Amino acid sequence: MNPQGERWTTDQVLALAPDEASRRAGGKLAAPGPWSETGADGGAVWGQCKGSGKKPYQTVVDIKGPAFKCSCPSRKFPCKHALGLLLLWAGDDREVMAGEPAQWAGEWLAGRRERAERSASAPSGAGAPSRAPADPEAARRRAERRMQRIGVGATELEQRLEDLLRSGLASAERAGYGSWDETAARMVDAQAPGLASRVRELGSAVASGPDWPARLLEECALLHLLDQGFLGIERLPAPLAATVRSRVGLTTEAADLLTGPEAATVRDRWLVLAQQDSEDGKLTTRRIFLRGERTGRMALHLSFGGANRPLDVALAPGLVLDADLAYYPGARPLRAVLGERHAPAAPGPVPPGCGIDAALAAYGDALRDDPWLDSWPVVLADVTPIPSRDGAGWQLADTDGESALPLDPRCLGRTSLWQLAAISGGAPVTVFGECGHRGFLPLTAWDPAPVSL
């Protein structure tokens, strides 16, 4: 990192990779051999990478975004060439010298600057294209029809749950996953994707191990609560009603959150705590967790990408953004959309954290407002990872030895746990993750630079 804080660390670059294969491929290109015409200035890095064809791939990265452009045919975002270029730049300032951008890089960067300037100079409410329907009355009728369809679906689902309890939970094991899959399909037809997702969880609970009846009953209770909440949504307080709407699958447009008549943004210096990509078939979901330096509020930015739709935002853990966020409505807001950025991203400090008891209290408070929450993001400070003697379970212990938090079974068996133990070396560390009913899922540790787990 140079004195101006402009050069990233290797871990910050690798945190941008969409998957492990991209990390490995980018690492192979982090050498000067395949690169030519490399350069960097205060806001961008560029270069040409020799590929299998006659023409080298032209790669440029706007590090203020960050944003990426490469002439390769890869559908991954960022591609291995962008990762390799950033790793080369991060590793040795003698390999990527300061200079003026090449013409092809300068044209792309100039286009980005022009679009940003137009957006900044646009009058209030004009920063995003209007999504207002041509016929507001027709839109209102469509929304009413969808609410009615979801109500019919919720009523049908209540009958399905009643039949299950009347016949006994053992009947679910005999029926198998197919019956739940059919019910989920009917919820999709009712335009309630949130209900469909929870129904599929019921089908998975039957095959989840020896204690499946208890887990199935818990999921049924939560689904019943959501059904009843939607069927009586007009009697709920506005924040809780917004939570119920989002849980059944009714969403708010991001543009409306930023520029709509009820838009309310929160400006802060947001520290990037973690970035995670997950794949579900052809869909890639990127989750970016942030915390406000002034407000202390947690935020989750979600973006989705596919074959012809690259992920729009990539932020390495450890960066700080001076930006506006707009939260989606709810009783315990967490998901947010990124608005105007007031300064380029810069390296941030090790975040302050809390102890085990405070983390559990934070999850409990959030669960009180949103009973369908699986977990809540927290930063733990001065905790030590401890493996069990048989290796079947791990926990994070406070330095005083009074409290310990088991790790989420979903992360057991991953090499990241031993990576966390290596970072700790038996000493307390700062760890960010999700604290929930399954335990704690670690996502980032500080060494003192952030390391994605």
Side-chain angles (χ1 to χ4, degrees):
M1 193 72 67
N2 66 15
Q4 288 76 32
E6 295 170 347
R7 195 172 296 273
W8 296 353
T9 66
T10 298
D11 288 329
Q12 287 174 326
V13 174
L14 292 176
L16 300 174
D19 50 41
E20 184 60 34
S22 297
R23 291 187 183 94
R24 292 194 298 267
K28 294 178 181 179
L29 295 175
W35 291 97
S36 62
E37 297 187 25
T38 59
D41 60 15
V45 186
W46 59 88
Q48 295 191 107
C49 185
K50 183 179 180 181
S52 57
K54 294 182 179 180
K55 292 184 178 181
Y57 297 125
Q58 297 176 335
T59 308
V60 56
V61 180
D62 181 352
I63 59 177
K64 294 181 179 179
F68 314 89
K69 174 70 174 179
C70 185
S71 60
C72 75
S74 174
R75 293 178 177 177
K76 294 186 177 181
F77 187 79
C79 67
K80 64 181 181 180
H81 305 103
L83 292 170
L85 177 61
L86 286 174
L87 288 170
L88 182 66
W89 169 70
D92 191 344
D93 56 5
R94 294 172 297 180
E95 299 296 348
V96 182
M97 303 296 291
E100 291 296 321
Q103 180 179 356
W104 51 269
E107 290 175 353
W108 181 74
L109 292 168
R112 282 185 54 80
R113 285 194 295 268
E114 289 174 5
R115 289 191 295 273
E117 290 170 359
R118 286 198 300 268
S119 177
S121 61
S124 178
S130 175
R131 294 177 180 264
D135 186 350
E137 181 61 24
R140 184 188 64 79
R141 290 196 298 269
R142 286 195 297 272
E144 288 181 352
R145 287 196 296 269
R146 184 178 181 187
M147 291 288 285
Q148 291 171 358
R149 281 193 289 268
I150 296 176
V152 171
T155 301
E156 179 183 345
L157 187 53
E158 282 292 278
Q159 185 62 52
R160 178 76 171 85
L161 294 174
E162 184 178 333
D163 292 343
L164 172 64
L165 295 179
R166 183 182 294 111
S167 58
L169 296 181
S171 63
E173 186 177 29
R174 294 192 298 269
Y177 187 83
S179 62
W180 292 114
D181 197 41
E182 179 183 350
T183 303
R186 294 183 67 83
M187 295 303 104
V188 172
D189 293 340
Q191 296 183 294
L195 292 180
S197 178
R198 288 200 163 268
V199 169
R200 294 190 186 98
E201 289 292 328
L202 295 182
S204 301
V206 176
S208 62
D211 295 330
W212 70 264
R215 284 188 285 274
L216 178 61
L217 190 59
E218 291 172 1
E219 291 297 330
C220 286
L222 288 171
L223 189 51
H224 169 67
L225 182 63
L226 185 56
D227 276 344
Q228 290 298 314
F230 184 82
L231 294 173
I233 197 168
E234 69 280 352
R235 299 190 299 272
L236 298 179
L240 183 56
T243 297
V244 170
R245 289 190 187 93
S246 68
R247 291 296 180 183
V248 301
L250 292 167
T251 59
T252 304
E253 292 287 352
D256 293 336
L257 293 174
L258 292 170
T259 62
E262 298 182 2
T265 58
V266 180
R267 180 178 178 179
D268 206 336
R269 284 169 47 85
W270 299 94
L271 176 64
V272 182
L273 297 171
Q275 175 180 287
Q276 267 203 329
D277 290 354
S278 59
E279 294 186 2
D280 183 9
K282 297 181 179 180
L283 180 69
T284 300
T285 302
R286 173 167 291 168
R287 302 192 307 156
I288 299 176
F289 289 94
L290 309 105
R291 185 171 71 176
E293 185 179 89
R294 176 181 57 83
T295 61
R297 294 183 66 175
M298 290 289 186
L300 171 62
H301 182 278
L302 289 178
S303 59
F304 304 93
N308 298 310
R309 180 186 176 187
L311 293 160
D312 58 350
V313 176
L315 296 171
L319 293 178
V320 171
L321 298 176
D322 182 0
D324 296 332
L325 289 187
Y327 283 89
Y328 285 79
R332 179 57 65 109
L334 179 64
R335 185 183 174 188
V337 59
L338 184 61
E340 181 182 356
R341 302 188 193 187
H342 303 282
V350 176
C354 64
I356 301 293
D357 293 341
L360 292 172
Y363 173 55
D365 289 343
L367 198 63
R368 178 192 59 204
D369 294 331
D370 183 353
W372 303 281
L373 272 177
D374 284 330
S375 59
W376 187 255
V378 294
V379 178
L380 294 176
D382 297 327
V383 292
T384 305
I386 303 174
S388 65
R389 292 183 178 180
D390 59 3
W394 288 62
Q395 57 186 351
L396 294 174
D398 274 337
T399 52
D400 58 12
E402 295 294 326
S403 301
L405 185 61
L407 293 188
D408 191 321
R410 292 175 296 176
C411 67
L412 299 181
R414 298 181 184 175
T415 57
S416 59
L417 291 185
W418 293 108
Q419 184 182 18
L420 176 60
I423 293 171
S424 166
V429 292
T430 297
V431 184
F432 167 75
E434 297 177 88
C435 182
H437 62 91
R438 298 184 184 93
F440 185 83
L441 183 66
L443 299 178
T444 308
W446 277 261
D447 185 31
V451 179
S452 297
L453 301 172

